[in-house]
């Protein structure tokens, strides 16, 4: 299944390193500094960029990824790209078998992020990543990076990296803390 183009269609490029308003990663590894409160390297907001972003999440064929916080504002191209890479459908919050990873769509008014994280950890395989997708800074429902870090710490996790994942969404990877940390 090929991810569908978003409502904007093809990206609009304004220079050699900008496309659709997002910074493209340079061939030498990209910019590693923080852009927009907790946002690191960005990806293009085209269908190809979203597919590349799904690959950047580290998912692979056959993995079961559980999805929390689905609503009508999620990025359908990103969801389709994750399903294309994993070759499986995303499973919902009620799934009760072991999962290889989790994605949480979380907005400012969605309640307590810690609760979502604890729920995701319930069936998550050891060392499976949790990705928290939040609206970018300046968009309705934006969640500060410090709020994500606080919820992660409370849940026994820590934030590993943050980057732009889709035109309106940022992704923060959370992982379990190692022993002795």
């Amino acid at each position: 299944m090929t991810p569908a183009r978003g409502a904007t269609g093809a990206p609009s490029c304004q220079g050699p390193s900008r496309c659709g308003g997002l910074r493209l990663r340079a061939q030498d590894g990209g910019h590693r500094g923080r852009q927009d409160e907790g946002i690191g390297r960005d990806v293009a907001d085209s269908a190809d960029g979203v597919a590349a972003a799904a690959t950047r999440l580290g998912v692979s064929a056959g993995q079961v990824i559980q999805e929390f916080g689905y609503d009508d504002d999620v990025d359908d191209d990103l969801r389709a790209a994750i399903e294309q890479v994993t070759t499986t459908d995303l499973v919902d919050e009620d799934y009760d078998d072991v999962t290889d990873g989790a994605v949480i769509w979380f907005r400012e008014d969605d309640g307590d992020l810690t609760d979502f994280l604890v729920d995701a950890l319930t069936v998550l395989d050891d060392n499976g990543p949790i990705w928290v997708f939040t609206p970018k800074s300046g968009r309705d429902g934006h969640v500060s990076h410090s709020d994500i870090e606080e919820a992660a710490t409370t849940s026994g996790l820590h934030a590993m990296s943050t980057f732009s994942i889709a035109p309106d969404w940022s992704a923060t990877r959370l992982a379990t803390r190692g022993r002795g940390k």
Side-chain angles (χ1 to χ4, degrees):
M1 158 173 43
T2 303
R5 286 242 183 238
T8 59
S12 157
C13 296
Q14 294 91 25
S17 67
R18 307 273 307 168
C19 192
L22 298 175
R23 181 179 299 278
L24 296 172
R25 280 184 66 198
Q27 294 298 323
D28 65 354
H31 179 71
R32 294 194 182 272
R34 290 191 183 255
Q35 300 288 319
D36 177 27
E37 188 186 344
I39 308 303
R41 294 167 284 172
D42 291 335
V43 295
D45 65 342
S46 67
D48 290 339
V50 172
T55 301
R56 237 182 118 187
L57 296 175
V59 297
S60 58
Q63 288 187 321
V64 175
I65 307 298
Q66 190 171 25
E67 177 180 45
F68 295 83
Y70 176 86
D71 206 337
D72 61 358
D73 64 343
V74 302
D75 190 287
D76 290 324
D77 290 342
L78 178 57
R79 292 182 78 251
I82 293 169
E83 290 176 339
Q84 181 181 9
V85 171
T86 62
T87 65
T88 61
D89 290 338
L90 294 169
V91 297
D92 68 13
E93 299 172 7
D94 297 327
Y95 188 79
D96 62 359
D97 203 355
V98 176
T99 62
D100 300 299
V103 297
I104 299 171
W105 301 91
F106 190 78
R107 302 140 202 96
E108 180 181 43
D109 296 328
D110 281 349
D112 187 0
L113 178 56
T114 302
D115 291 341
F116 280 88
L117 296 174
V118 169
D119 288 347
L121 286 167
T122 302
V123 295
L124 186 66
D125 191 28
D126 290 340
N127 299 319
I130 296 175
W131 288 95
V132 178
F133 298 158
T134 57
K136 290 180 179 177
S137 180
R139 289 167 174 87
D140 288 341
H142 172 70
V143 178
S144 74
H145 191 70
S146 62
D147 289 343
I148 297 169
E149 288 178 334
E150 181 180 333
T153 300
T154 303
S155 304
L157 301 166
H158 66 284
M160 301 288 290
S161 59
T162 299
F163 58 92
S164 175
I165 192 73
D168 293 320
W169 295 88
S170 296
T172 301
R173 183 181 190 274
L174 305 179
T176 56
R177 294 187 177 277
R179 289 186 177 178
K181 293 189 179 187

